[in-house]
Amino acid sequence: MDIVIYHNPACGTSRNTLALIRHVGIEPHVIEYLKTPPSRALVAQMVERTGGSVRDILREKGTPYAELGLGDPGLSDDQLLDAIEAHPILMNRPIVVSPRGVKLCRPSEAVLDLLPQEGLKPFTKADGEVVIDADGRRVGALVAG
């Protein structure tokens, strides 16, 4: 399975998401998006594939979000894409692209929706939270129905 993760190694959620992908036996294409930002067109395409809006992937914390006035509901998607292009830190992470879809994986276990479900092995996040139990079942709010 071909997986791409737009990753920030300084982010715990991004690290946990990457660990979950590797945990199921997939070595993804890792793109450190602050070093190699995706093009404006690619960001727009990913947003479209999530089924959401550009605003859904905006990161506020630790970014120039407030300084740029990006909370203004009157801003268009084009204006928000311009801001992300100029300041890639505004793109929330991690975004994962898989044959099963594209998703902003917050919390990290959201990535399980994009990965094979067969033969899941136990997994515990770095903070001690169990994501996959000893029986290979997803644990918590995102349990598959």
Side-chain angles (χ1 to χ4, degrees), residues 11-21 23 93-94 105-112 121-134 137-142:
C11 170
T13 300
S14 198
R15 289 191 307 271
N16 280 320
T17 302
L18 179 57
L20 272 164
I21 295 168
H23 182 74
R93 76 286 182 155
C105 294
R106 299 189 75 80
S108 57
E109 53 269 27
V111 75
L112 292 171
K121 297 179 199 117
F123 184 86
T124 302
K125 292 198 281 190
D127 66 2
E129 181 183 350
V130 175
V131 175
I132 304 170
D133 69 15
R137 291 186 303 242
R138 291 170 65 174
V139 177
L142 293 176

Side-chain angles (χ1 to χ4, degrees), residues 23-100:
H23 182 74
V24 301
I26 296 170
E27 183 54 41
H29 302 280
V30 179
I31 299 173
E32 290 188 33
Y33 73 95
L34 295 177
K35 292 181 181 178
T36 310
S39 69
R40 183 184 191 285
L42 183 55
V43 172
Q45 180 187 54
M46 287 190 296
V47 167
E48 183 177 324
R49 290 185 62 199
T50 68
S53 71
V54 177
R55 194 164 290 288
D56 295 336
I57 67 157
L58 280 177
R59 180 166 181 82
E60 294 180 39
K61 185 178 172 187
T63 73
Y65 179 92
E67 299 158 31
L68 296 171
L70 298 179
D72 178 349
L75 294 175
S76 69
D77 280 355
D78 280 336
Q79 290 170 305
L80 298 175
L81 285 167
D82 288 343
I84 292 171
E85 183 177 39
H87 307 278
I89 191 77
L90 287 166
M91 187 174 87
N92 213 340
R93 76 286 182 155
I95 293 177
V96 176
V97 179
S98 108
R100 293 186 172 180

